[in-house]
Amino acid sequence: MKNKIVMSLAAVGAALMVSQGVAAEHGAGAAAKGPSTNVAWTPEQLRLVASGDKNRGGQLNRDMFCASCHGDQGVAPTGNWPSLAGQRAEYTFKMLKDYKDGKRHGSATAEIMVQVAQQLSDQDMADLAQFYASFKLPSLPVGVSFDAAKADQAKAVVTRGDGKRLVAPCQACHGPNGEGAVTDTPALAGMPPEYFIKTMHEYKSGARANDVYSRMRLIAKTLSDEEINQMAHYYAGMTAK
């Protein structure tokens, strides 16, 4: 019963955070900066992503040198870059569009992607997205490890959330197996810990701001650095067993 109450409170918290995000997105500051993304999931947009040709995407992965950072089959060779194997096609497409539109920027690695995305058409992005989505979720890159003890410490917040802080369970959006469960919510299983930590700190500081309605920015600000560290190892270890 207690767990059900906590989960209910967490769900209320999620709704409150989205409401706060909506207000922030449409406030005076947002009016000056514009929306966090230009991608709207209309039927036409979804059909475009679904039309992606994974074979052509594989060719682009080679020709555009995407493989040098994300691997020949979407598994990053180091922990400095995200693995994209098994990633939801819609999420990959959105990220590429956000880079091209200047909605995702602020770090040295992001600026590299901004330059790459400028050379891609929407169809190119759909093709790449389907290429990466065609693989299973990745194991960790060679030489990258995770801490099982830290992963265990993150389990409560990931699976149940924290009603006291109005934090919804991470798995409510990212899926019970870290596979991603909502159109613009990414798979996290097998993500290198270093990249996960870097991303969460960018959300926490506001350096990354392409999350719709500030959802991840609001959540990241409630988490301690140690909790972020623990979550990074939790998701990294999901495909390392």
Side-chain angles (χ1 to χ4, degrees), residues 9 42 54 60 78 157 191 232:
L9 286 171
T42 61
K54 67 179 183 180
L60 285 168
T78 72
V157 175
M191 192 64 67

Side-chain angles (χ1 to χ4, degrees), residues 111-169:
E111 295 308 321
I112 292 173
M113 283 304 305
V114 168
Q115 296 303 313
V116 171
Q118 295 299 320
Q119 304 174 58
L120 300 174
S121 68
D122 285 5
Q123 188 62 58
D124 291 337
M125 295 177 193
D127 293 343
L128 281 165
Q130 290 297 340
F131 169 70
Y132 295 125
S134 70
F135 298 102
K136 66 179 182 179
L137 288 168
S139 295
L140 290 175
V142 175
V144 177
S145 61
F146 81 103
D147 187 317
K150 289 183 178 179
D152 189 61
Q153 290 175 308
K155 188 173 182 180
V157 175
V158 171
T159 60
R160 298 196 300 272
D162 185 347
K164 292 181 180 179
R165 289 182 292 174
L166 300 178
V167 175

Side-chain angles (χ1 to χ4, degrees), residues 24-38:
E25 191 82 353
H26 295 286
K33 297 179 181 178
S36 60
T37 181
N38 293 336

Side-chain angles (χ1 to χ4, degrees), residues 18-194:
V18 169
S19 296
Q20 292 168 355
V22 171
E25 191 82 353
H26 295 286
K33 297 179 181 178
S36 60
T37 181
N38 293 336
V39 177
W41 292 114
T42 61
E44 293 77 15
Q45 190 73 86
L46 290 167
R47 282 195 290 271
L48 172 63
V49 176
S51 76
D53 182 339
K54 67 179 183 180
N55 294 322
R56 184 170 180 273
Q59 187 65 47
L60 285 168
N61 187 57
R62 295 186 293 273
D63 293 348
M64 298 294 294
F65 302 103
C66 307
S68 62
C69 294
H70 300 293
D72 292 332
Q73 298 183 336
V75 180
T78 72
N80 298 321
W81 296 89
S83 289
L84 300 177
Q87 187 55 267
R88 295 182 61 90
E90 298 91 346
Y91 182 78
T92 299
F93 179 87
K94 177 187 179 296
M95 288 299 106
L96 289 170
K97 283 286 287 182
D98 286 352
Y99 282 124
K100 186 171 184 176
D101 294 345
K103 300 298 183 180
R104 171 79 173 92
H105 56 82
S107 66
T109 53
E111 295 308 321
I112 292 173
M113 283 304 305
V114 168
Q115 296 303 313
V116 171
Q118 295 299 320
Q119 304 174 58
L120 300 174
S121 68
D122 285 5
Q123 188 62 58
D124 291 337
M125 295 177 193
D127 293 343
L128 281 165
Q130 290 297 340
F131 169 70
Y132 295 125
S134 70
F135 298 102
K136 66 179 182 179
L137 288 168
S139 295
L140 290 175
V142 175
V144 177
S145 61
F146 81 103
D147 187 317
K150 289 183 178 179
D152 189 61
Q153 290 175 308
K155 188 173 182 180
V157 175
V158 171
T159 60
R160 298 196 300 272
D162 185 347
K164 292 181 180 179
R165 289 182 292 174
L166 300 178
V167 175
C170 305
Q171 70 175 26
C173 291
H174 295 283
N177 298 307
E179 74 278 17
V182 181
T183 299
D184 59 1
T185 303
L188 298 175
M191 192 64 67
E194 296 90 338

